[in-house]
Amino acid sequence: MKARPARKTDGVCWITGGSSGIGKALALRLASNGWHVVISARTREDLQAVAGQVDGPGRIDVAPLDTTDADAVERVVAQIESEHGPIALAVLNAGIYLPVRSESPDFSDYAKTFAVNLNGTAACVSALSPRMVRRRSGHIVIVSSATAFGGMPTASAYGASKAALLNMAEALRIELDRYQVFVQAVTPGFVETPAQDDNAFPKPFMISPEKAARRMAAGFTSRRFQITFPRRFTWALKALYALPADWYIPLVRKQTGWDKPDDAPKS
Ligand SMILES: NC(=O)c1ccc[n+]([C@@H]2O[C@H](COP(=O)([O-])OP(=O)(O)OC[C@H]3O[C@@H](n4cnc5c(N)ncnc54)[C@H](OP(=O)(O)O)[C@@H]3O)[C@@H](O)[C@H]2O)c1
């Protein structure tokens, strides 16, 4: 039997990064579709504020967690399953965006980005996949980004983490299908959330978190590997990334203004 998308009768949905932006909108959307959702993030009060907004027929419970602590991830996953039942759908969405300027990079921005986006997601997968494999059932969604498709200026940390996540999701999709565990990746373009506050770039075709949540919830019922939106933006990006790198790089440099003389301090 092949892996299939989770149904709300299979168990609960766990969303990391569920206190803000895309994760919050998705939690509220799935709860309004009747799912029992459990949300995690580091700040309990923010999680509780989201849970308080549910208007049925589903519900939201909270499980505070720092996903960079792999032992805590294992504990929280075990606790969710003992209190609420099996995690049928896991949306690994917790992530941060820290712009890095190559004139004065701060290694800690790379380290923090990889710790949350990459290691945090790997910790969640490590806690979830053995349980789902044992049950021969489950659905894991990894939230990557359209920046995974190719390099972008100031995104050398973020883009690298998201490219790694897309690759991780592909590997898991290949491996876990024979255990009836279903894997998808989400590659959004710009979504209007607090994470975008530090992004000084133009943000073409930016959509609301609620629209992103609608696209994701619809995508979770399909068998597609990659859920991407807004499509006119992400498909245009895919076409750009399909060019040979020696064409793509100067084109992006020009489009983003990185072909202009720099204003970095000369030492
Ligand atoms: N917004 C966009 O344009 C866009 C585009 C493509 C992809 N994405 C991806 O979509 C996901 C959600 O982004 P967003 O824009 O909705 O961001 P957001 O509004 O800043 O939300 C990020 C969420 O992650 C949580 N989080 C951060 N560090 C964490 C940690 N160590 N452990 C547990 N939770 C943690 C935050 O809560 P606490 O800080 O309280 O822990 C918050 O709930 C991210 O993976 C992001 O990379 C966003």
Side-chain angles (χ1 to χ4, degrees):
M1 204 169 46
K2 280 195 155 313
R4 62 156 173 82
R7 300 177 190 134
K8 55 188 172 224
T9 47
D10 295 340
V12 299
C13 167
W14 179 44
I15 302 175
T16 67
S19 65
S20 169
I22 296 171
K24 170 184 171 182
L26 181 66
L28 291 169
R29 167 125 216 128
L30 292 179
S32 77
N33 288 349
W35 275 89
H36 178 180
V37 182
V38 182
I39 50 175
S40 291
R42 290 166 301 178
T43 319
R44 179 184 286 276
E45 302 73 51
D46 293 349
L47 293 167
Q48 283 167 336
V50 176
Q53 292 176 38
V54 176
D55 190 17
R59 58 185 266 205
I60 297 182
D61 285 296
V62 309
L65 171 68
D66 181 340
T67 55
T68 64
D69 178 346
D71 294 336
V73 171
E74 174 59 38
R75 266 199 313 278
V76 164
V77 165
Q79 179 201 323
I80 292 170
E81 296 213 325
S82 79
E83 284 177 16
H84 305 296
I87 295 173
L89 171 62
V91 186
L92 308 181
N93 162 78
I96 57 171
Y97 168 70
L98 299 174
V100 176
R101 294 285 304 223
S102 48
E103 306 90 331
S104 52
D106 183 342
F107 171 70
S108 75
D109 288 339
Y110 283 101
K112 279 187 225 155
T113 302
F114 297 152
V116 179
N117 296 5
L118 192 49
N119 293 349
T121 304
C124 295
V125 168
S126 303
L128 289 163
S129 68
R131 291 176 162 85
M132 292 181 170
V133 165
R134 269 198 303 277
R135 290 197 285 270
R136 294 291 192 271
S137 165
H139 183 168
I140 297 174
V141 178
I142 292 183
V143 179
S144 171
S145 160
T147 54
F149 306 154
M152 279 286 164
T154 76
S156 62
Y158 181 77
S161 73
K162 293 296 181 175
L165 287 180
L166 188 56
N167 190 298
M168 183 192 290
E170 278 174 3
L172 294 171
R173 172 94 168 202
I174 292 167
E175 289 176 29
L176 290 175
D177 185 70
R178 64 177 173 182
Y179 303 111
Q180 287 96 58
V181 177
F182 189 64
V183 179
Q184 289 178 304
V186 187
T187 52
F190 296 109
V191 184
E192 196 170 4
T193 71
Q196 284 297 347
D197 293 348
D198 285 338
N199 187 353
F201 266 101
K203 295 152 198 161
F205 303 107
M206 184 146 79
I207 61 170
S208 68
E210 290 72 29
K211 190 162 185 183
R214 268 204 309 281
R215 290 290 162 80
M216 287 167 71
F220 296 168
T221 64
S222 84
R223 304 195 69 88
R224 279 198 310 275
F225 168 66
Q226 201 180 121
I227 302 166
T228 193
F229 52 81
R231 270 182 266 180
R232 55 196 163 145
F233 177 64
T234 55
W235 286 15
L237 270 185
K238 281 188 186 195
L240 187 65
Y241 294 129
L243 294 173
D246 287 332
W247 296 4
Y248 160 78
I249 290 169
L251 201 62
V252 171
R253 194 183 283 135
K254 190 167 171 47
Q255 288 297 320
T256 55
W258 247 255
D259 58 336
K260 309 265 180 345
D262 75 83
D263 55 2
K266 309 278 184 295
S267 53

